[in-house]
Structure formats: C-alpha cells, structure tokens
Amino acid sequence: MLIKYAIFYIALLFFISEAKCWLLISICLWTIPNTGLGITNMYIRIKENKIINGAIAASVKFMDDNKIFLFMNNAVPLLMALFLLLIPFTQHSAIKEICIYSSILFAIILTLGKKSDFSFSSPLTLGFVMFLLWAILGLPFALNKPNSIHDIYAHLLKYMAIYYLIVNFFCSRKRLLILTWIMTAAGTIYCIWYVSYFYLYLGNDISDRMVLYPYRDYIYVFSFLLAVNHFFRQKKWLMRVIPLICLFSTLTATLLSQTRNALLAIVLGLCVYCFKYKKAAILILLTIVIVILFTPGSKKRFDFNRLMDNERTAINLTTIEIVKDYPIFGIGFGMQTYGYKEYIDLQSYLMKIPKKYQHHGTIGSPHNLLADTCVRTGLIGLGLFLFIMICYVRMGFIMIKKAEDNFIKDWGLCFLACFAGFFAQSMFGDAAFGLQAIVFYTILAMMTILWRIEPGGPDQTSLYS
C-alpha cells in the first residue's frame, strides 16, 4: 500500500504546479486510503492521459528497481538546500513551498518504509514539545482563535519541521560543512545582487539607506559570522579569498542598510570569536567602527540623542502593560492580534505609560522577540522559549569545553557567535516569522548536528544534569 501511494504521488509531482495541492492530495492518500470512490475516479481520469500514464509506468519500474528510496534520501537534502538558498530572495514562493512539503512527505515515506533513521532525538526536543503544548493550551483563551490556530501551524510546527529535516538529513561533517556554505552563499549572492540593484539599477545615492526589502539583514549577519569561521579555518591565504569575498559583500550590505541592530549583532558575534581569535576579531571590530564613522548618513542614524529618544521605549512599556492584563496564556499565539483594534486597543494601553513616551504613538508589533513571545504566550510561554535558548547555549559550551576535536570546538564557537548575533538583532525587531525565524531554526539545527556528530557522542541527558 505504501508503494502504491508513493508511486501515485511522484507521478503527480511532475504535473501539479501548486505545492499545497500536492500536500492536500498526499494527506488524502495517507489518511483516507479506503475512501475509494473519490480517489478511484481521480485515478481513472488521470489514467486516460497517456503522458501521466507513462509517468506512472516509469515510476513503477523505478520502484521495482528499489531506487525510489535512494532517490528520496538524496532528494530531501537537495530540496532543503534549494529552500535555504532561496530564503533571502522571496518570502513566499511556490518553489519554496514545493521544497518544504515534498521534503516532509519524502521523510514520512522513508520513515514508514524503515529506509531512514529519522529521529526526533535532540536536546531541544523537550523544550519544543513543552512550548508547542503551551501554545495549544492557550487556544481557548486566545483573542483571535482562527489566527492563533493558523500561526501555530505556519509559524511554529512548520519551522520545527524545517529544524528536524535539517538535523536528520545534514547529520555528518561533510553535510554540515555544505550547509554552512549554503547559508554563506545565500547571503553573499543576495547582497551582491541587492547592492547592484539598489544603487546601480535604481540609481539611488550612496547615502540612501538600502532598505527596499525588510528583514534581510538577518541573513547578512548570519552569512557574515559563518564566513568569519570559514576564513579562520583556512590555513592558506589563497583559500581565504572566497570567505573574504563573502565577508566584504555581507558587511557592505549591512553598512549600506544602516541597520543598527545588524551592526550590533556583528559586533556581538565578533566578541564571541574573541575567545579564540582575539587579535583578528579585534582588528575586524576596529575596521567596522572606522568604516561606520565614514559611511554616508551614519552620523544621523547613530546620533546619541536620537537613540535615547526612541519609539522602542514606548513599545516596550506598552507591551508590559498588555502582559499585566494577560500574564498566563497571553493574548494568543496568532500574530494578527497585537496591533488590531478589534482585539487589542493599543491606544488605551499607551495612555498608561509615562507621558514623556506617549508622543511616539502606537506601533503594531512589539519589535522584540522575547516581548513578542511573552505577549502572545504569557510569562510561562516566555519561560519555555528561554529554556530552549538556554539549552542551545549550554550545548555550545559543553562541546567547546569537552570536545577534543578542533572541528567541533571551532564550529561550536561559530554557532554560538551566530546565536549571539541573532539574539542581538531579535531584541530590536520582529523575528518570529519569515526569513528571521528560518535563520533562527537553522542556527538551532546546526548546533544540534554538531552535538550528534561529536566523536563518542555526548550523553543526551547530560545537558540537563
């Protein structure tokens, strides 16, 4: 039965363009195989088409040779690599949806067919499960229940699926290195294209902020900090040319965007590198500071008085007032609740904060990952989310301290730097959805892979002892 449904799905794969239609058909095949009539009629209509009939016949032959499982095992990392490579270019696209849902289906087929060692074993699984259960428990108390149900799937379960796909299909030294290069390349290619498009094609002045597309600075920082480790690990200067290009491209894009939280993230990430590469990291830091001082428009962006009189203080104080009213389960996991008048009257909460901050007005989101998590899932939800982060940091420190292999130590330090950079950015921006969340879960997955492949393998329970 498994073989029949796998064949049918793969044949359809080439002739259906909408990824969610694939998922719907796949769910029907897996969950209601004995329904009979509807699927049988669909199969008969498809069979009348000779082209599709040929595809089914080819799939049968493919399966007879027992190559289908090998194809799926190789397809998942390729699909995920394509997905990650495309994340900075588009927020939503059919290709990305195809990559994700096909990878999920292939992973299910491989697991049920006992052709894969797919496992949910991870030091972060406990935190994921508790946070997910808490979000579900809060549904009856959510102010916008339909949106909360949707976002638990779209902005939690889906990202967890991405995490486990990366962990299970890139779980070797070679594949982990490939993964780091994919993320480095994604940021580098995008930065080169973006700078060229914004300044050369659109003809903007060099002093103009490069902020045509929001949130892309998360991939700049991630790629930059990965490239730093690639640069340090290469012993020959000729081999350092490619990481150097990546560093220059991503740093240029970050400086031209004049995004303060991204620059702070790079500085904090380099501070983590200082634990091992003191002189080189300090040199890079000083170079960045000097470049910032001479970057057009930077004086206005980094003016001290402007930084002190910032709307973020008003946002944070307003968020605290909301949390006081919804301390346990929050306002609901849905992201279309905060800032929507029919659910939350932000103006009334703004009136509760000190008057000297009220002139900034209301902003439709908390602009802080921890504040956003707290207001949507309550104080307990925030605690569970922090538990995941603490487990991640502890994983890194355990491997850096106990591992004898330089590969483990170097990449453990790198992933801690990436996490520090992301954390700094997320404190001053929305980071619970889209590209930002994918970057976050990819960072979590990379450290988990390192934890799994450490020689001798650390005890999974040692993390909590």
Side-chain angles (χ1 to χ4, degrees):
M1 196 65 70
L2 171 67
I3 293 173
K4 174 183 172 183
Y5 298 144
I7 294 170
F8 186 66
Y9 174 80
I10 292 166
L12 286 172
L13 203 62
F14 296 99
F15 300 97
I16 300 176
S17 59
E18 180 56 42
K20 290 184 180 178
C21 288
W22 302 4
L23 182 66
L24 183 60
I25 290 171
S26 302
I27 290 171
C28 291
L29 291 171
W30 283 100
T31 57
I32 49 172
N34 297 320
T35 302
L37 185 59
I39 294 176
T40 303
N41 290 339
M42 184 194 300
Y43 180 77
I44 291 170
R45 286 193 215 99
I46 291 174
K47 199 171 181 180
E48 291 172 356
N49 188 314
K50 293 183 179 179
I51 297 175
I52 297 181
N53 196 30
I56 294 174
S59 299
V60 172
K61 185 178 184 303
F62 195 46
M63 177 62 86
D64 289 341
D65 294 336
N66 202 31
K67 294 178 181 177
I68 187 68
F69 293 120
L70 179 62
F71 164 76
M72 290 181 181
N73 259 315
N74 292 328
V76 174
L78 288 173
L79 289 167
M80 290 305 298
L82 179 60
F83 170 80
L84 293 171
L85 197 61
L86 291 175
I87 58 170
F89 291 93
T90 53
Q91 286 289 87
H92 304 286
S93 70
I95 295 176
K96 287 167 66 176
E97 296 296 291
I98 288 168
C99 291
I100 285 297
Y101 291 116
S102 296
S103 297
I104 292 171
L105 184 73
F106 289 167
I108 292 171
I109 294 172
L110 288 167
T111 304
L112 293 179
K114 297 182 179 179
K115 299 294 182 179
S116 171
D117 295 327
F118 192 96
S119 170
F120 291 102
S121 176
S122 162
L124 304 183
T125 296
L126 177 62
F128 283 156
V129 171
M130 291 194 298
F131 185 69
L132 174 61
L133 289 176
W134 186 255
I136 294 171
L137 282 172
L139 283 175
F141 308 95
L143 302 183
N144 186 353
K145 291 181 179 61
N147 181 242
S148 292
I149 293 169
H150 171 272
D151 284 0
I152 286 175
Y153 155 72
H155 298 300
L156 186 57
L157 282 173
K158 191 174 179 180
Y159 297 140
M160 287 181 181
I162 291 170
Y163 166 86
Y164 284 108
L165 285 170
I166 293 173
V167 166
N168 281 279
F169 288 94
F170 288 89
C171 197
S172 70
R173 292 187 179 218
K174 182 179 178 181
R175 289 193 175 186
L176 178 60
L177 278 175
I178 291 171
L179 179 62
T180 62
W181 276 116
I182 288 168
M183 299 310 302
T184 306
T188 303
I189 294 168
Y190 181 79
C191 288
I192 293 171
W193 170 82
Y194 193 11
V195 171
S196 302
Y197 176 74
F198 190 81
Y199 292 104
L200 300 180
Y201 182 77
L202 296 181
N204 289 295
D205 188 79
I206 193 67
S207 62
D208 293 336
R209 285 190 67 204
M210 193 177 67
V211 288
L212 197 60
Y213 305 109
Y215 305 120
R216 297 308 193 267
D217 50 291
Y218 283 85
I219 196 69
Y220 306 163
V221 174
F222 188 24
S223 298
F224 177 87
L225 294 173
L226 288 173
V228 169
N229 198 48
H230 280 297
F231 180 83
F232 285 145
R233 284 185 59 82
Q234 297 296 336
K235 303 304 179 185
K236 296 180 180 179
W237 275 97
L238 186 62
M239 300 302 294
R240 289 180 169 180
V241 172
I242 295 176
L244 202 59
I245 293 171
C246 299
L247 288 169
F248 179 77
S249 303
T250 50
L251 182 59
T252 300
T254 305
L255 291 169
L256 290 173
S257 69
Q258 298 177 30
T259 309
R260 291 168 298 203
N261 61 355
L263 290 168
L264 174 64
I266 286 177
V267 170
L268 193 60
L270 288 173
C271 288
V272 174
Y273 274 116
C274 284
F275 285 105
K276 182 174 182 179
Y277 309 103
K278 291 182 176 64
K279 292 181 181 179
I282 291 171
L283 181 63
I284 297 173
L285 276 170
L286 289 174
T287 304
I288 291 172
V289 172
I290 293 169
V291 172
I292 289 172
L293 292 175
F294 290 96
T295 300
S298 62
K299 290 183 179 180
K300 184 179 178 181
R301 287 286 295 165
F302 294 92
D303 180 72
F304 180 78
N305 292 326
R306 184 173 178 177
L307 290 173
M308 290 298 98
D309 185 25
N310 192 280
E311 68 276 2
R312 296 186 190 280
T313 305
I315 297 171
N316 293 333
L317 292 173
T318 303
T319 302
I320 290 171
E321 292 299 326
I322 297 173
V323 172
K324 288 179 182 178
D325 285 350
Y326 303 92
I328 307 300
F329 290 102
I331 62 176
F333 196 83
M335 296 181 186
Q336 294 181 5
T337 307
Y338 189 107
Y340 289 74
K341 290 183 179 180
E342 59 267 39
Y343 305 110
I344 290 286
D345 184 6
L346 288 180
Q347 191 63 37
S348 66
Y349 285 102
L350 183 68
M351 294 298 104
K352 295 181 180 181
I353 70 174
K355 287 187 177 181
K356 63 179 180 179
Y357 299 115
Q358 292 180 7
H359 69 278
H360 291 295
T362 59
I363 307 293
S365 69
H367 283 295
N368 180 304
L369 179 60
L370 296 184
D372 182 40
T373 303
C374 186
V375 80
R376 290 189 295 120
T377 61
L379 293 170
I380 295 175
L382 174 62
L384 294 173
F385 191 73
L386 286 172
F387 174 73
I388 295 170
M389 290 186 164
I390 291 168
C391 287
Y392 177 93
V393 174
R394 184 163 167 75
M395 284 166 63
F397 278 114
I398 286 174
M399 285 187 289
I400 292 170
K401 182 180 178 180
K402 294 185 177 181
E404 298 179 358
D405 190 340
N406 284 333
F407 179 91
I408 302 293
K409 287 179 176 288
D410 291 349
W411 284 110
L413 184 68
C414 172
F415 299 150
L416 280 178
C418 292
F419 178 82
F422 174 85
F423 185 80
Q425 280 183 287
S426 69
M427 292 301 96
F428 302 96
D430 300 316
F433 60 89
L435 178 148
Q436 315 90 285
I438 295 170
V439 166
F440 176 59
Y441 282 89
T442 303
I443 293 171
L444 297 185
M446 285 178 167
M447 185 70 85
T448 306
I449 294 169
L450 206 62
W451 179 269
R452 282 187 172 190
I453 65 176
E454 182 182 350
D459 183 3
Q460 296 288 318
T461 60
S462 67
L463 187 69
Y464 309 112
S465 60

